[in-house]
Amino acid sequence: MEACKELYSLPREEMAEYIAAGPKDPIRIGTGLFYSDVDDAVCRRDYVKMIAHPEFYCPAKPTNLREITMEYSIRTRELLLELMQAIFKSLELDGGRISEALNLESCFQILVGNNYPPYAGSDWVMGISAHSDHGLLTLLFQNGVDGLEVKRNGQWLLAKPLPGSLFIITGDQLEIVSNGRYKAVVHRALVLGEQTRMSFVSMIGPCLDAIVEPVPELARSAPQGMEFRGIKYRDYMEHQQSSRINKKAALDIVRVQHNILTSQGAPNNSTEAASAGYSHTN
Ligand SMILES: O=C(O)CCC(=O)C(=O)O
Ligand SMILES: [Fe+2]
């Protein structure tokens, strides 16, 4: 976090290349204020995003950032992959088989350093509006300043940063693979007090070229069958990144519409019929 602080305080010219970067670039820096009509709020956030796996990228300055983030990415990747195995076990699935299908050896990993300075304006200020993360699992560390909230049963709950605690957030790909047994968690960051809040995120997803779809045995045992159609992770990510941040709206592109009327006019919830009714929002 200290190295990230140094990064944000570099002269703007030194960050210009990364500030101009697009969503597909491996290193991206964003900084400033913007309005979110989803939450009717001003958002204030600086961030650096860097792809850490299968290839590792890092800004050249500050010079110690590379070593620190490289080690952090390796350790958190191991932990997150281990957690994935525990999740597969909880679903009574063969972890080895699913890891192969998602090609987790070449998993996509991104690190994000977030910085939320206190804001003196009169509007209600947010850091990042309500969203779910596009990957499988996210590990989040906060600097001890409140701000992260998660939505549970329609209520926003403050995820208090207990000293040394790490938060694990389930993402969209896990919801797809588990056919909705694990739900992607909607979360947001608020700017609450006088102190600068920082968070550091390590997120893993399947290999970008993997087709992500519900595990067949989970779809077979679900009352409604398949909840999602398959999609290449790279395409999902591009879709999510090119849309406005809006809670879990990105998942709608793969959500199967149930209660489709058959030619006889009766609702049919079979997997085949449901699969034919994919909902594309774009
Ligand atoms: O700063 C936080 O607590 C949340 C950050 C976040 O949700 C993200 O980077 O995706
Ligand atoms: Fe997030």
Side-chain angles (χ1 to χ4, degrees):
M1 286 201 173
E2 287 306 311
C4 276
K5 228 186 258 179
E6 264 183 68
L7 174 72
Y8 302 125
S9 56
L10 286 174
R12 248 185 123 79
E13 312 83 79
E14 300 211 26
M15 296 194 276
E17 167 196 356
Y18 306 128
I19 290 176
K24 285 188 188 167
D25 289 309
I27 303 175
R28 191 149 48 108
I29 291 179
T31 168
L33 273 180
F34 59 96
Y35 176 73
S36 156
D37 54 3
V38 175
D39 287 297
D40 189 21
V42 174
C43 291
R44 171 75 183 89
R45 168 188 182 220
D46 305 319
Y47 64 82
V48 55
K49 294 188 180 188
M50 41 197 155
I51 293 180
H53 198 260
E55 267 182 82
F56 180 84
Y57 297 87
C58 182
K61 283 191 186 167
T63 46
N64 59 347
L65 188 63
R66 188 178 183 87
E67 197 187 328
I68 300 168
T69 49
M70 169 88 85
E71 186 176 351
Y72 194 74
S73 71
I74 295 170
R75 292 217 199 166
T76 53
R77 187 163 67 245
E78 280 170 4
L79 177 61
L80 290 168
L81 288 171
E82 225 171 280
L83 282 171
M84 281 308 303
Q85 291 308 318
I87 288 173
F88 295 142
K89 204 166 171 195
S90 76
L91 294 168
E92 297 177 359
L93 297 172
D94 172 355
R97 195 190 92 221
I98 317 290
S99 305
E100 231 170 83
L102 298 174
N103 192 1
L104 292 185
E105 246 180 60
S106 298
C107 69
F108 175 80
Q109 183 185 23
I110 190 162
L111 303 180
V112 186
N114 293 303
N115 184 57
Y116 310 95
Y119 181 65
S122 55
D123 299 286
W124 187 50
V125 176
M126 305 242 326
I128 181 167
S129 353
H131 68 283
S132 58
D133 294 344
H134 57 76
L136 288 163
L137 282 182
T138 298
L139 182 140
L140 186 142
F141 178 71
Q142 320 180 55
N143 71 337
V145 179
D146 287 353
L148 175 66
E149 289 195 326
V150 295
K151 199 152 207 183
R152 188 150 188 271
N153 300 331
Q155 304 271 351
W156 283 110
L157 302 177
L158 187 68
K160 253 198 158 337
L162 301 172
S165 62
L166 297 167
F167 285 84
I168 302 292
I169 298 171
T170 44
D172 294 348
Q173 303 313 298
L174 184 57
E175 181 157 346
I176 298 172
V177 173
S178 71
N179 201 38
R181 295 271 296 273
Y182 279 84
K183 303 279 186 230
V185 171
V186 175
H187 56 285
R188 65 182 185 182
L190 304 181
V191 174
L192 294 171
E194 318 265 282
Q195 287 171 287
T196 293
R197 176 165 182 272
M198 294 182 85
S199 68
F200 202 83
V201 159
S202 171
M203 191 202 79
I204 59 157
C207 167
L208 284 178
D209 291 316
I211 306 284
V212 184
E213 57 192 351
V215 174
E217 46 268 53
L218 296 181
R220 274 197 296 274
S221 61
Q224 297 259 53
M226 289 244 293
E227 295 288 350
F228 302 97
R229 71 176 176 97
I231 189 168
K232 194 187 267 193
Y233 180 37
R234 186 190 301 278
D235 295 340
Y236 184 89
M237 204 166 94
E238 279 173 16
H239 161 69
Q240 198 233 32
Q241 309 260 300
S242 59
S243 321
R244 285 178 317 132
I245 293 186
N246 184 5
K247 303 177 197 124
K248 283 169 78 168
L251 263 178
D252 289 342
I253 191 188
V254 286
R255 204 181 291 283
V256 170
Q257 296 270 317
H258 295 291
N259 301 325
I260 293 161
L261 294 182
T262 63
S263 51
Q264 284 80 34
N268 184 323
N269 288 332
S270 80
T271 301
E272 287 77 7
S275 312
Y278 299 152
S279 151
H280 294 269
T281 52
N282 65 348

